Amino acid sequence: MPEGDTIFRAARTLQRVLAGHTVTRFESVYPALTRVDVDRPLVGRTIDGVRAHGKHLLMQFSGDLVLHTHMRMNGSWHLYRPGERWRYPFRDMRVVVETAHAVAVGFNIPVAEFLTSQELQRHALLQSLGPDLAGRDVDRAEVVRRMAAHGHEPIHEVLLNQRVVSGIGNELKSEVLFVARVDPFA
């Protein structure tokens, strides 16, 4: 399962390669995404930026459109040169965003939706997320406050609660508690 650090690195790489470039091709197996592309075509839009929030990846396009994806257990984003052979079969493709210089392919992504900036601000799940530890301006006091509010729960559950702090999964939780020599059930 991709954890916050993996999504952060994917977003940073997609940002470096795609930001500022114009979409030359968009494709998806999801009817809801295809419907938006038919009504408000992606081709010709500029990719304004890509960022992560916890385990969520947000790709911002010009014209007030954001592609929100969540990888869950098996999803991943890959970058290719145009015409380069993909590492995974076409049947695993869920989303393709292509520019003149790169092809971003989302494989086995179970959650993908287009949002406007207003819908993004009202998105119940995204707005309920706790601070992202990979973010630049992490409010550590807020993280401590949220953790303290769950002081009656075992620390291993608190660390996995995405409303307390976003991006931590089983691997990070286990490694951090091991290195800190903290009993997961404390």
Side-chain angles (χ1 to χ4, degrees):
M1 167 185 252
E3 297 194 26
D5 61 321
T6 303
I7 304 306
F8 176 81
R9 285 193 307 277
R12 186 175 58 196
T13 301
L14 290 167
Q15 166 71 19
R16 181 177 43 80
V17 173
L18 299 176
H21 293 278
T22 302
V23 177
T24 58
R25 174 177 160 233
F26 176 81
E27 185 175 347
S28 178
V29 299
Y30 293 122
L33 295 185
T34 303
R35 181 77 241 161
V36 170
D37 182 44
V38 167
D39 292 342
R40 301 175 62 196
L42 272 284
V43 171
R45 291 177 188 255
T46 302
I47 301 166
D48 291 338
V50 183
R51 65 184 174 88
H53 187 108
K55 298 178 183 184
H56 301 263
L57 190 136
L58 303 164
M59 187 178 296
Q60 177 78 46
F61 298 92
S62 60
D64 191 29
L65 198 59
V66 178
L67 175 61
H68 164 234
T69 59
H70 190 289
M71 309 313 141
R72 294 239 172 107
M73 294 297 284
N74 300 312
S76 60
W77 278 98
H78 293 229
L79 279 168
Y80 300 95
R81 291 180 194 89
E84 183 178 3
R85 185 175 177 193
W86 296 353
R87 286 184 43 206
Y88 291 103
F90 182 80
R91 69 176 175 271
D92 292 343
M93 178 279 288
R94 301 297 179 265
V95 180
V96 175
V97 178
E98 186 171 344
T99 69
H101 305 288
V103 181
V105 185
F107 290 106
N108 297 312
I109 294 173
V111 176
E113 62 183 338
F114 278 122
L115 304 166
T116 64
S117 56
Q118 186 176 39
E119 291 168 335
L120 184 63
Q121 290 177 345
R122 293 180 179 168
H123 196 283
L125 175 62
L126 292 171
Q127 295 309 312
S128 71
L129 293 174
D132 182 354
L133 293 180
R136 290 180 185 232
D137 301 319
V138 177
D139 183 346
R140 293 175 189 213
E142 177 64 11
V143 172
V144 170
R145 185 193 69 71
R146 287 174 182 239
M147 290 181 80
H150 292 268
H152 59 284
E153 299 172 27
I155 188 64
H156 74 96
E157 290 179 12
V158 175
L159 290 175
L160 291 177
N161 184 335
Q162 300 299 298
R163 289 187 165 126
V164 173
V165 60
S166 62
I168 297 177
N170 281 317
E171 187 174 334
L172 285 173
K173 170 212 58 167
S174 298
E175 293 295 324
V176 166
L177 293 175
F178 178 79
V179 168
R181 298 180 193 266
V182 173
D183 180 351
F185 297 98

